[in-house]
Every structure is written in C-alpha cells, then in structure tokens.
Amino acid sequence: MLLAIDCGNTNTVFSIWDGTRFIATWRTSTQHQRTADQYYVWLSTLMNFQKIDPKITDVIISSTVPRVVFNLRVLSDRYFNTRPLVVGKPDCLLPVDVRVDAGTQVGPDRLVNTVAGNSLYGGDLILVDFGTATTFDVVDTDGAYVGGVIAPGVNLSLEALHLAAAALPHVDISKPQSVVGTNTVACMQSGIFWGYVGLVREICARIKAERDRPMQVISTGGLAPLFQQSTDLFDVVREDLTMHGLTVIHKYNSSERAGT
C-alpha cells in the first residue's frame, strides 16, 4: 500500500492508497518540531482504530515546508522500511513538463496539482487551490505547467484583519446572508467572501483572455465547496486533487524504474 503525504503550511494530510482507492485520510497541523516517532505513534493509533493493516510498502511526499521533510523521511525509513519519493527532488520524475523562467522553484503542491489535473481533465486548465495561499496554476494544452498566480489565502486575510485592526474580531468564513452587513462580523464575512469571489472570477477571466482559448477551471482545497455553493466560479470541485496527483506521480516513477 502507498502512504501519500501532503504537507502544507497549515495542515499535513496522510492518505493510504490501496491501488484502486483511498481507504483512509487523516489530517494534522503542520509542525516542523514533530519527530518521526511522534508521527508514527499518531498514525499507527489511527490505523489501529480503523482496523487498517499497517503494511505500507511505498511512501510519497509533497511538502511546501522543507523543514518537515527530514522527519517524514525518517518516518518512512524507520517504520515502513522504504525510501520515500519526494516531489521536487531530482529522483522524482514528473509525467508533465514544467515551463517557467530558468532558476524558478515551483512549489511541489502546484506540480502535483498540475499532474492530477492533466490526468483527470486533460490540458487547458486553471487550477485554483484554496490553501494558506490561494494559488492559480495554468496547465497548457499538452499538460505542462506554464505558470500561475499567488494571492493571500482566505483565512490568512481574515487573520490579518483581526491582528492589524484592534476593533475587528476573529471570524470564520461563511457566505453572508446579504452583501451589506449590519454588524461587524457580517461586514467582515461579506468583504472576504464576495471579495474572493471577485478575485477568483477576475483572475480566471484575465488568464483565459491572455491565453485566448477555452479553459476549464478546477478547484481544490477546504474552502472550494463553500465558494462553489453559491456561485458558478468553477467547472469542477475536486477536494482530493493533490492526493490523486501523488498517486499518479508514484505510478509514473514505478513504471519508469521498471522500464515499462
């Protein structure tokens, strides 16, 4: 079985792939101080609770936080007796091209999403990922990654409002009942919700105009369903996009090593 690990700035997701489907997915906060032993105690406890046979044969990691990769490597080596495949490292091959300025480092999560999007929907895509940052990634006709846009994340913007303005409280993101708020919380929720609807719509429109071709808009991330409920921003919402991409990359590397 394959253990796929997606480590973001805020959360780290562990999923077990049995070759045909994900049989379990767990989420924990990202902390670079967490040791390999702590990861294993947490993970094995959850596996035992769900009565999952802990026979992990392969591990693949995508991490936007470089400091956590060492302990995830140790976890893989010490407890699963396997060398992990780490997206972004030279030995991890991608089934798509990356066409950006020379010397540019593209986030592993964005590469994984590109692979997943191309695998599921073909080329000419805009991938919108609602994470700590809100990212827009452009997939060319042939599936290549050709650049994108990075904007502040939704929760990051809310937290900045709370921290920078003494009179503004911390609020959770939700769709407001009306655009014009009649209290502070409703005003903040309206500004964030409809502000991000406008941001996504405008950026996607400008990308399509610049590319001058029809493009599908695929969204992922925890807040994607919230924005899709009340708008027509996206053609598809795929919450497991990144995890699917990790399975595709793992299969591609396994095939390349086998020479098939």
Side-chain angles (χ1 to χ4, degrees):
M1 288 193 291
L2 172 68
L3 175 62
I5 304 173
D6 173 30
C7 178
N9 290 293
T10 304
N11 293 310
T12 301
V13 179
F14 293 74
S15 288
I16 296 179
W17 173 258
D18 70 357
T20 58
R21 65 187 180 94
F22 289 109
I23 60 174
T25 297
W26 303 289
R27 184 182 300 267
T28 186
S29 60
T30 299
Q31 297 177 14
H32 70 270
Q33 303 96 330
R34 188 170 285 146
T35 67
D37 302 326
Q38 289 173 314
Y39 277 120
Y40 183 72
V41 169
W42 173 80
L43 189 59
S44 61
T45 299
L46 290 170
M47 293 173 72
N48 289 334
F49 179 76
Q50 293 188 224
K51 296 181 172 55
I52 295 173
D53 187 351
K55 290 184 178 177
I56 303 298
T57 57
D58 297 276
V59 177
I60 184 168
I61 301 167
S62 170
S63 177
T64 59
V65 186
R67 288 191 293 177
V68 306
V69 174
F70 174 79
N71 282 321
L72 291 174
R73 282 182 178 274
V74 174
L75 167 72
S76 177
D77 179 64
R78 180 179 297 166
Y79 291 104
F80 303 122
N81 195 32
T82 184
R83 180 183 178 184
L85 194 63
V86 181
V87 179
K89 299 299 182 183
D91 62 340
C92 181
L93 305 176
L94 297 177
V96 298
D97 288 334
V98 180
R99 295 198 284 266
V100 294
D101 293 344
T104 300
Q105 289 282 89
V106 180
D109 55 331
R110 306 179 79 178
L111 297 176
V112 174
N113 286 348
T114 297
V115 170
N118 181 59
S119 167
L120 292 167
Y121 308 107
D124 291 322
L125 306 176
I126 303 171
L127 306 175
V128 184
D129 189 348
F130 290 93
T132 305
T134 300
T135 58
F136 301 75
D137 296 309
V138 180
V139 181
D140 209 346
T141 306
D142 63 353
Y145 176 85
V146 292
V149 177
I150 300 174
V154 176
N155 287 313
L156 190 63
S157 295
L158 277 170
E159 189 66 19
L161 271 176
H162 170 59
L163 293 175
L168 297 181
H170 175 79
V171 300
D172 293 323
I173 179 65
S174 65
K175 182 191 174 186
Q177 294 183 349
S178 61
V179 176
V180 179
T182 55
N183 57 70
T184 301
V185 170
C187 289
M188 293 174 66
Q189 288 176 333
S190 182
I192 290 293
F193 184 86
W194 293 114
Y196 270 86
V197 168
L199 180 145
V200 171
R201 197 185 301 279
E202 180 68 12
I203 288 179
C204 289
R206 287 182 176 272
I207 291 172
K208 291 177 182 178
E210 188 171 281
R211 303 286 294 172
D212 193 24
R213 68 190 69 176
M215 302 185 77
Q216 288 189 83
V217 181
I218 314 300
S219 182
T220 190
L223 291 175
L226 171 66
F227 286 97
Q228 184 69 342
Q229 284 175 6
S230 55
T231 63
D232 57 352
L233 287 179
F234 316 118
D235 295 300
V236 179
V237 173
R238 181 88 186 212
E239 295 183 63
D240 66 344
L241 187 71
T242 305
M243 283 300 172
H244 176 76
L246 287 173
T247 68
V248 174
I249 293 171
H250 174 264
K251 183 177 180 180
Y252 179 75
N253 280 264
S254 298
S255 298
E256 289 295 307
R257 291 189 185 116
T260 59

